[in-house]
Amino acid sequence: MGQEPGRYVALGDSFTEGVGDSSKRRPNGVRGWADRVAEALASHAPGWEYANLAIRSKRLRHIIADQLEPALAMEPTLITLYAGGNDVMDFGTKIADIMAEYEQLVSRLSQTGATLVLFTGYDVEVAPLLGRLRRKNHAYNDGVRRLAVKHGAIVVDYAKFTAYQNAHMWAPDRLHMSKAGHKYLAARVLDELGVPHDITPREKRKASRGVRQRAREHRQWVTEWVLPLVGRKLRGTTLGDTLNPRWPEPVRVPPKKGLKKLAGPR
Protein backbone atom coordinates (compact mmCIF):
# COMPACT_ATOMS: atom_id res chain seq x y z
CA MET A 1 0.00 0.00 0.00
CA GLY A 2 1.14 3.55 -0.66
CA GLN A 3 1.85 6.32 1.82
CA GLU A 4 -1.66 7.78 1.51
CA PRO A 5 -4.28 6.71 4.08
CA GLY A 6 -7.51 5.09 2.94
CA ARG A 7 -10.48 3.15 4.23
CA TYR A 8 -10.20 -0.52 5.18
CA VAL A 9 -13.32 -2.71 5.43
CA ALA A 10 -13.15 -6.31 6.70
CA LEU A 11 -15.92 -8.82 5.91
CA GLY A 12 -16.52 -12.39 6.99
CA ASP A 13 -17.10 -14.66 9.97
CA SER A 14 -15.28 -15.58 13.20
CA PHE A 15 -11.93 -15.75 11.36
CA THR A 16 -12.09 -11.99 10.69
CA GLU A 17 -14.10 -11.03 13.77
CA GLY A 18 -11.11 -12.16 15.84
CA VAL A 19 -12.44 -15.15 17.78
CA GLY A 20 -9.64 -16.80 19.75
CA ASP A 21 -7.82 -13.53 20.47
CA SER A 22 -9.59 -12.37 23.63
CA SER A 23 -9.65 -8.67 24.57
CA LYS A 24 -12.20 -7.65 27.21
CA ARG A 25 -12.04 -3.95 26.35
CA ARG A 26 -12.90 -4.37 22.66
CA PRO A 27 -16.30 -4.91 21.03
CA ASN A 28 -17.49 -8.55 21.26
CA GLY A 29 -14.55 -9.26 23.58
CA VAL A 30 -12.00 -10.00 20.85
CA ARG A 31 -9.21 -8.27 18.92
CA GLY A 32 -7.94 -10.38 16.03
CA TRP A 33 -5.67 -10.01 13.02
CA ALA A 34 -7.86 -7.45 11.19
CA ASP A 35 -7.65 -4.94 14.07
CA ARG A 36 -3.89 -5.43 14.08
CA VAL A 37 -3.71 -4.81 10.33
CA ALA A 38 -5.78 -1.62 10.70
CA GLU A 39 -3.51 -0.39 13.48
CA ALA A 40 -0.37 -1.05 11.45
CA LEU A 41 -1.84 0.77 8.45
CA ALA A 42 -2.62 3.81 10.62
CA SER A 43 0.81 3.74 12.23
CA HIS A 44 2.43 3.68 8.78
CA ALA A 45 0.13 6.32 7.23
CA PRO A 46 -1.98 8.22 9.82
CA GLY A 47 -5.55 8.87 8.76
CA TRP A 48 -6.68 5.33 7.92
CA GLU A 49 -10.30 4.49 8.67
CA TYR A 50 -11.50 0.98 9.51
CA ALA A 51 -14.76 -0.97 9.70
CA ASN A 52 -15.13 -4.64 10.60
CA LEU A 53 -18.49 -6.18 9.67
CA ALA A 54 -17.57 -9.81 10.40
CA ILE A 55 -19.66 -11.87 12.82
CA ARG A 56 -18.90 -15.40 13.98
CA SER A 57 -20.76 -18.38 12.48
CA LYS A 58 -22.02 -16.49 9.42
CA ARG A 59 -22.44 -18.37 6.16
CA LEU A 60 -21.96 -16.91 2.69
CA ARG A 61 -25.66 -16.14 2.35
CA HIS A 62 -25.56 -14.08 5.54
CA ILE A 63 -22.46 -12.16 4.47
CA ILE A 64 -24.01 -11.36 1.10
CA ALA A 65 -27.30 -10.30 2.70
CA ASP A 66 -25.93 -8.32 5.66
CA GLN A 67 -22.38 -7.19 4.90
CA LEU A 68 -22.00 -6.64 1.17
CA GLU A 69 -24.12 -3.52 0.63
CA PRO A 70 -22.91 -1.75 3.79
CA ALA A 71 -19.33 -2.45 2.71
CA LEU A 72 -19.91 -1.07 -0.79
CA ALA A 73 -21.55 2.05 0.66
CA MET A 74 -18.38 2.79 2.62
CA GLU A 75 -16.36 3.15 -0.60
CA PRO A 76 -13.33 1.27 0.75
CA THR A 77 -9.83 1.39 -0.70
CA LEU A 78 -8.87 -1.92 0.96
CA ILE A 79 -11.15 -4.93 1.50
CA THR A 80 -10.35 -8.24 3.18
CA LEU A 81 -12.74 -11.16 2.79
CA TYR A 82 -12.77 -14.60 4.32
CA ALA A 83 -16.08 -16.36 3.73
CA GLY A 84 -17.26 -19.86 2.98
CA GLY A 85 -15.43 -21.84 5.65
CA ASN A 86 -18.60 -22.47 7.65
CA ASP A 87 -20.40 -23.50 4.45
CA VAL A 88 -17.62 -25.99 3.70
CA MET A 89 -17.96 -27.49 7.18
CA ASP A 90 -21.73 -27.90 6.87
CA PHE A 91 -22.66 -31.43 5.84
CA GLY A 92 -24.73 -31.66 2.68
CA THR A 93 -23.39 -28.51 1.03
CA LYS A 94 -21.92 -28.76 -2.46
CA ILE A 95 -18.66 -27.07 -3.37
CA ALA A 96 -20.07 -25.86 -6.70
CA ASP A 97 -22.86 -24.01 -4.90
CA ILE A 98 -20.45 -22.58 -2.34
CA MET A 99 -18.08 -21.25 -4.99
CA ALA A 100 -20.94 -19.76 -7.01
CA GLU A 101 -22.05 -17.72 -3.99
CA TYR A 102 -18.45 -16.86 -3.19
CA GLU A 103 -17.81 -15.55 -6.71
CA GLN A 104 -20.95 -13.44 -6.53
CA LEU A 105 -19.47 -11.75 -3.49
CA VAL A 106 -15.93 -11.44 -4.88
CA SER A 107 -17.17 -10.05 -8.21
CA ARG A 108 -19.14 -7.26 -6.55
CA LEU A 109 -16.25 -6.34 -4.26
CA SER A 110 -13.69 -6.35 -7.07
CA GLN A 111 -15.78 -3.85 -9.03
CA THR A 112 -15.11 -1.20 -6.36
CA GLY A 113 -11.52 -0.82 -7.53
CA ALA A 114 -10.31 -1.39 -3.97
CA THR A 115 -7.37 -3.63 -3.19
CA LEU A 116 -9.08 -6.95 -2.46
CA VAL A 117 -7.49 -9.59 -0.23
CA LEU A 118 -8.82 -13.17 -0.11
CA PHE A 119 -7.81 -16.14 2.04
CA THR A 120 -7.63 -19.87 1.60
CA GLY A 121 -8.81 -22.06 4.49
CA TYR A 122 -6.44 -23.97 6.73
CA ASP A 123 -6.46 -27.73 6.32
CA VAL A 124 -7.33 -28.66 9.89
CA GLU A 125 -6.49 -32.25 10.82
CA VAL A 126 -9.61 -34.41 10.67
CA ALA A 127 -10.42 -38.06 11.29
CA PRO A 128 -10.35 -40.47 8.30
CA LEU A 129 -14.14 -40.65 8.43
CA LEU A 130 -14.22 -36.92 7.64
CA GLY A 131 -11.98 -37.22 4.60
CA ARG A 132 -14.76 -35.86 2.41
CA LEU A 133 -14.71 -32.62 4.41
CA ARG A 134 -10.98 -32.28 3.75
CA ARG A 135 -11.52 -32.80 0.04
CA LYS A 136 -14.17 -30.04 0.07
CA ASN A 137 -11.68 -27.73 1.74
CA HIS A 138 -9.07 -28.48 -0.92
CA ALA A 139 -11.61 -27.74 -3.65
CA TYR A 140 -12.59 -24.51 -1.88
CA ASN A 141 -8.95 -23.39 -1.69
CA ASP A 142 -8.38 -24.16 -5.37
CA GLY A 143 -11.49 -22.13 -6.18
CA VAL A 144 -10.31 -19.16 -4.10
CA ARG A 145 -6.95 -19.13 -5.89
CA ARG A 146 -8.61 -19.34 -9.30
CA LEU A 147 -11.11 -16.56 -8.57
CA ALA A 148 -8.36 -14.34 -7.15
CA VAL A 149 -6.57 -14.50 -10.48
CA LYS A 150 -9.80 -13.93 -12.39
CA HIS A 151 -10.81 -10.87 -10.33
CA GLY A 152 -7.37 -9.40 -9.67
CA ALA A 153 -7.31 -10.08 -5.92
CA ILE A 154 -4.41 -10.81 -3.58
CA VAL A 155 -4.41 -14.25 -1.96
CA VAL A 156 -3.10 -14.79 1.55
CA ASP A 157 -2.55 -18.53 1.25
CA TYR A 158 -3.30 -19.45 4.85
CA ALA A 159 -3.56 -23.12 3.87
CA LYS A 160 0.19 -23.21 3.16
CA PHE A 161 1.43 -21.58 6.37
CA THR A 162 3.39 -24.32 8.13
CA ALA A 163 3.57 -22.20 11.30
CA TYR A 164 0.01 -23.35 12.07
CA GLN A 165 1.23 -26.89 12.57
CA ASN A 166 2.20 -25.64 16.03
CA ALA A 167 -0.56 -26.18 18.61
CA HIS A 168 0.38 -22.83 20.21
CA MET A 169 -1.19 -21.08 17.22
CA TRP A 170 -4.66 -22.44 18.02
CA ALA A 171 -7.28 -21.54 20.62
CA PRO A 172 -8.64 -24.22 23.00
CA ASP A 173 -11.51 -25.02 20.59
CA ARG A 174 -8.91 -26.12 17.99
CA LEU A 175 -10.87 -24.34 15.25
CA HIS A 176 -9.89 -20.70 15.77
CA MET A 177 -6.49 -19.08 15.97
CA SER A 178 -4.99 -18.10 19.32
CA LYS A 179 -3.54 -14.65 19.99
CA ALA A 180 -0.25 -15.89 18.57
CA GLY A 181 -2.06 -17.20 15.49
CA HIS A 182 -3.81 -13.88 14.90
CA LYS A 183 -0.55 -11.95 15.30
CA TYR A 184 1.19 -14.21 12.81
CA LEU A 185 -1.60 -13.82 10.26
CA ALA A 186 -1.65 -10.03 10.66
CA ALA A 187 2.06 -9.96 9.87
CA ARG A 188 1.56 -12.08 6.77
CA VAL A 189 -1.30 -9.88 5.51
CA LEU A 190 0.81 -6.75 5.98
CA ASP A 191 3.72 -8.43 4.20
CA GLU A 192 1.46 -9.17 1.23
CA LEU A 193 0.34 -5.52 1.19
CA GLY A 194 3.92 -4.28 1.43
CA VAL A 195 3.21 -2.36 4.65
CA PRO A 196 6.07 -2.01 7.18
CA HIS A 197 5.21 -3.25 10.66
CA ASP A 198 6.76 -4.31 13.94
CA ILE A 199 4.62 -7.40 14.56
CA THR A 200 7.03 -10.15 15.55
CA PRO A 201 5.18 -13.32 16.56
CA ARG A 202 7.27 -15.57 18.75
CA GLU A 203 7.45 -19.28 18.01
CA LYS A 204 6.61 -21.29 21.11
CA ARG A 205 5.92 -24.96 21.48
CA LYS A 206 3.84 -26.61 24.14
CA ALA A 207 5.64 -28.98 26.44
CA SER A 208 5.24 -32.63 25.59
CA ARG A 209 2.41 -34.40 27.41
CA GLY A 210 1.92 -37.98 28.38
CA VAL A 211 -0.79 -40.26 27.02
CA ARG A 212 -3.06 -39.74 30.04
CA GLN A 213 -2.79 -35.96 29.88
CA ARG A 214 -3.56 -35.95 26.16
CA ALA A 215 -6.58 -38.18 26.79
CA ARG A 216 -7.80 -35.81 29.53
CA GLU A 217 -7.37 -32.82 27.24
CA HIS A 218 -9.28 -34.59 24.48
CA ARG A 219 -12.21 -35.41 26.80
CA GLN A 220 -12.24 -31.81 28.00
CA TRP A 221 -12.25 -30.56 24.39
CA VAL A 222 -15.17 -32.82 23.48
CA THR A 223 -17.14 -31.73 26.57
CA GLU A 224 -16.46 -28.00 26.34
CA TRP A 225 -16.43 -27.45 22.59
CA VAL A 226 -17.65 -30.34 20.46
CA LEU A 227 -20.86 -31.24 22.32
CA PRO A 228 -22.03 -27.60 22.63
CA LEU A 229 -21.34 -27.16 18.90
CA VAL A 230 -23.44 -30.22 18.06
CA GLY A 231 -26.18 -28.97 20.37
CA ARG A 232 -26.29 -25.61 18.61
CA LYS A 233 -26.51 -27.31 15.23
CA LEU A 234 -29.43 -29.44 16.43
CA ARG A 235 -31.20 -26.35 17.76
CA GLY A 236 -30.44 -24.33 14.65
CA THR A 237 -28.65 -21.60 16.60
CA THR A 238 -25.15 -20.07 16.34
CA LEU A 239 -22.85 -18.06 18.57
CA GLY A 240 -23.30 -15.06 16.31
CA ASP A 241 -27.10 -14.85 16.49
CA THR A 242 -27.16 -12.12 19.14
CA LEU A 243 -24.03 -10.23 18.09
CA ASN A 244 -23.52 -7.08 16.05
CA PRO A 245 -20.47 -6.17 13.96
CA ARG A 246 -17.54 -5.00 16.07
CA TRP A 247 -16.83 -1.81 14.13
CA PRO A 248 -20.00 -1.32 12.02
CA GLU A 249 -19.07 2.18 10.86
CA PRO A 250 -15.66 3.43 9.74
CA VAL A 251 -13.58 4.74 12.65
CA ARG A 252 -10.42 6.81 12.40
CA VAL A 253 -7.68 4.55 13.79
CA PRO A 254 -5.38 6.39 16.21
CA PRO A 255 -1.77 6.02 14.96
CA LYS A 256 -0.62 5.58 18.56
CA LYS A 257 -2.17 3.05 20.97
CA GLY A 258 -4.49 1.92 18.18
CA LEU A 259 -8.11 0.86 18.53
CA LYS A 260 -7.95 0.21 22.27
CA LYS A 261 -7.98 3.99 22.60
CA LEU A 262 -11.49 3.98 21.03
CA ALA A 263 -12.88 0.97 22.86
CA GLY A 264 -12.97 2.64 26.27
CA PRO A 265 -13.13 0.99 29.70
CA ARG A 266 -15.32 -2.10 30.16
Side-chain angles (χ1 to χ4, degrees), residues 172-230:
D173 64 6
R174 304 183 187 177
L175 289 174
H176 297 99
M177 293 177 287
S178 64
K179 177 179 180 179
H182 279 279
K183 287 181 69 173
Y184 183 87
L185 186 64
R188 296 303 296 262
V189 172
L190 291 163
D191 290 343
E192 288 287 346
L193 294 173
V195 176
H197 62 87
D198 60 2
I199 300 175
T200 53
R202 288 181 295 175
E203 291 270 343
K204 186 169 79 173
R205 295 194 174 274
K206 290 186 176 181
S208 59
R209 294 107 62 218
V211 173
R212 289 184 179 180
Q213 185 177 350
R214 289 199 301 271
R216 263 196 317 271
E217 290 175 355
H218 183 74
R219 288 194 298 271
Q220 184 178 8
W221 173 67
V222 170
T223 301
E224 295 182 1
W225 301 103
V226 177
L227 294 180
L229 175 63
V230 172

Side-chain angles (χ1 to χ4, degrees), residues 158-171:
Y158 179 52
K160 293 184 177 180
F161 294 165
T162 57
Y164 289 95
Q165 294 172 5
N166 186 339
H168 177 63
M169 303 291 269
W170 297 94

Side-chain angles (χ1 to χ4, degrees), residues 29-251:
V30 294
R31 185 181 184 185
W33 65 266
D35 276 21
R36 296 171 191 276
V37 167
E39 290 165 341
L41 288 167
S43 178
H44 175 60
W48 271 90
E49 294 182 335
Y50 167 58
N52 189 327
L53 306 180
I55 298 177
R56 64 197 72 179
S57 307
K58 297 305 179 184
R59 271 59 177 172
L60 274 162
R61 63 185 182 276
H62 305 127
I63 295 168
I64 292 170
D66 301 332
Q67 299 180 29
L68 176 57
E69 293 302 331
L72 295 176
M74 293 176 194
E75 299 183 348
T77 53
L78 170 65
I79 301 169
T80 58
L81 170 70
Y82 177 79
N86 288 315
D87 300 79
V88 170
M89 291 178 64
D90 286 341
F91 289 103
T93 55
K94 297 179 180 178
I95 197 65
D97 296 335
I98 292 171
M99 297 316 299
E101 278 193 299
Y102 182 85
E103 183 167 19
Q104 177 187 343
L105 187 53
V106 170
S107 177
R108 291 286 304 281
L109 294 172
S110 68
Q111 291 170 25
T112 64
T115 298
L116 177 59
V117 180
L118 308 177
F119 300 80
T120 54
Y122 193 75
D123 196 11
V124 179
E125 289 291 333
V126 293
L129 290 174
L130 300 179
R132 186 175 179 182
L133 179 61
R134 171 169 277 184
R135 289 192 294 273
K136 279 174 71 177
N137 191 52
H138 290 173
Y140 168 81
N141 289 341
D142 289 343
V144 169
R145 297 179 186 115
R146 175 178 56 81
L147 291 175
V149 172
K150 180 178 178 180
H151 294 282
I154 296 170
V155 174
V156 176
D157 211 339
Y158 179 52
K160 293 184 177 180
F161 294 165
T162 57
Y164 289 95
Q165 294 172 5
N166 186 339
H168 177 63
M169 303 291 269
W170 297 94
D173 64 6
R174 304 183 187 177
L175 289 174
H176 297 99
M177 293 177 287
S178 64
K179 177 179 180 179
H182 279 279
K183 287 181 69 173
Y184 183 87
L185 186 64
R188 296 303 296 262
V189 172
L190 291 163
D191 290 343
E192 288 287 346
L193 294 173
V195 176
H197 62 87
D198 60 2
I199 300 175
T200 53
R202 288 181 295 175
E203 291 270 343
K204 186 169 79 173
R205 295 194 174 274
K206 290 186 176 181
S208 59
R209 294 107 62 218
V211 173
R212 289 184 179 180
Q213 185 177 350
R214 289 199 301 271
R216 263 196 317 271
E217 290 175 355
H218 183 74
R219 288 194 298 271
Q220 184 178 8
W221 173 67
V222 170
T223 301
E224 295 182 1
W225 301 103
V226 177
L227 294 180
L229 175 63
V230 172
R232 288 192 297 273
K233 283 187 174 293
L234 291 174
R235 294 190 302 272
T237 62
T238 76
L239 291 175
D241 289 347
T242 60
L243 295 178
N244 295 315
R246 300 183 54 239
W247 305 103
E249 300 291 339
V251 294

